[in-house]
Amino acid sequence: QVRVVESGGGLVQAGGSLRLSCTASGFTDDEYTVAWFRKVPTKEREGVSCISRDDSSTIVYLDSAKGRFTISRDNAKNMVYLQMNSLTPDDTALYYCAAGRLWPRSGCSASQVAYDYWGQGTQVTVSS
């Protein structure tokens, strides 16, 4: 059974940084696609960033996050990270990690239905 767990959220002042972590256990191997999504009460859940199964593709979907957010993977630790810099109050949201086996191996998706496994979310709050 696959289990996805996020961590690293918290309260930070505008201009600060946070690094979110995600680990997925239960896959038969360490090759799986990971995406970060976020949800604020007034909007639909939206895709933030994705890293492909073979790590060849890393995509930041949010225009507002490009140049500030970076996704990466440490295979030795079975961890995927979302480094978030220059945070603004608009980044305040519940951030979710999602995992799945997308095809092709180099592929990514910002669609929620592409991912079978989800974490519970970690709250990021940015104060002004």
Side-chain angles (χ1 to χ4, degrees):
Q1 184 174 349
V2 175
R3 182 168 179 245
V4 177
V5 178
E6 312 97 333
S7 62
L11 174 63
V12 64
Q13 287 189 327
S17 298
L18 280 175
R19 188 179 74 164
L20 305 184
S21 301
C22 172
T23 186
S25 59
F27 281 100
T28 55
D29 57 39
D30 59 0
E31 197 176 273
Y32 50 91
T33 314
V34 172
W36 287 95
F37 292 80
R38 71 184 188 184
K39 177 73 171 70
V40 297
T42 56
K43 295 175 65 176
E44 297 289 322
R45 189 157 56 181
E46 58 186 353
V48 176
S49 187
C50 173
I51 184 166
S52 63
R53 288 174 61 183
D54 62 1
D55 297 343
S56 66
S57 298
T58 57
I59 302 173
V60 176
Y61 293 108
L62 287 176
D63 287 339
S64 63
K66 291 178 180 177
R68 299 189 299 122
F69 291 10
T70 304
I71 191 169
S72 63
R73 190 196 309 257
D74 184 335
N75 286 305
K77 296 182 179 180
N78 192 31
M79 296 289 280
V80 171
Y81 303 104
L82 183 68
Q83 179 67 43
M84 305 186 295
N85 298 327
S86 302
L87 287 163
T88 76
D90 288 341
D91 295 315
T92 295
L94 187 59
Y95 284 74
Y96 294 90
C97 179
R101 289 192 186 279
L102 274 65
W103 289 96
R105 295 171 61 245
S106 61
C108 266
S109 177
S111 172
Q112 299 178 57
V113 299
Y115 300 92
D116 295 320
Y117 308 101
W118 290 78
Q120 295 298 307
T122 185
Q123 178 67 39
V124 172
T125 303
V126 184
S127 63
S128 58

